[in-house]
Amino acid sequence: MLDLLAVLLTLGGLVFFAGATMGILRFPDFYTRLHAAGKLDTLGALLTMAGLAVYNLHPFSITTLLTSLKIGFAVGFIFIASPTATHAIVDAGVRAGLRPWVKQEDEQK
């Protein structure tokens, strides 16, 4: 049962990583690409590492429990640091005068 949960969490994380990759490659400007990277990478890392933590618990012992708790602390750090870093990068872009993408009339045809 734990193996199935670990596989589902890991696959869910990979789906979000794939979405982030598509967003980075397909979105038109700096801000939208950062949005995809900031949101989807954070959730992808959360799900993937949660799957790893659950998989690590399979032969349950105090050592595996402590290792899974360390993985949980790493996930907590990523959950705080990644959106904060994304916000700082966007703020630097605004201060540098980088304008958001606007759809032009020629592109509508």
Side-chain angles (χ1 to χ4, degrees):
M1 186 68 182
L2 283 179
D3 288 342
L4 179 65
L5 180 63
V7 167
L8 290 177
L9 286 170
T10 304
L11 287 177
L14 291 177
V15 167
F16 280 100
F17 277 132
T21 302
M22 291 301 293
I24 291 170
L25 293 175
R26 299 283 306 199
F27 282 161
D29 72 338
F30 174 75
Y31 299 110
T32 54
R33 289 177 182 161
L34 269 178
H35 179 76
K39 302 286 184 190
L40 295 176
D41 273 354
T42 303
L43 191 56
L46 170 76
L47 291 175
T48 304
M49 292 179 78
L52 180 65
V54 169
Y55 181 75
N56 186 46
L57 287 174
H58 185 53
F60 188 78
S61 69
I62 194 68
T63 306
T64 58
L65 178 65
L66 290 176
T67 302
S68 293
L69 283 176
K70 286 180 190 176
I71 293 171
F73 286 133
V75 168
F77 176 74
I78 290 171
F79 226 69
I80 293 170
S82 180
T84 305
T86 303
H87 176 76
I89 294 169
V90 167
D91 189 45
V94 169
R95 289 174 192 255
L98 197 60
R99 295 185 177 268
W101 176 79
V102 177
K103 192 170 188 174
Q104 302 294 325
E105 292 295 323
D106 296 339
E107 296 178 16
Q108 292 179 350
K109 294 179 184 177

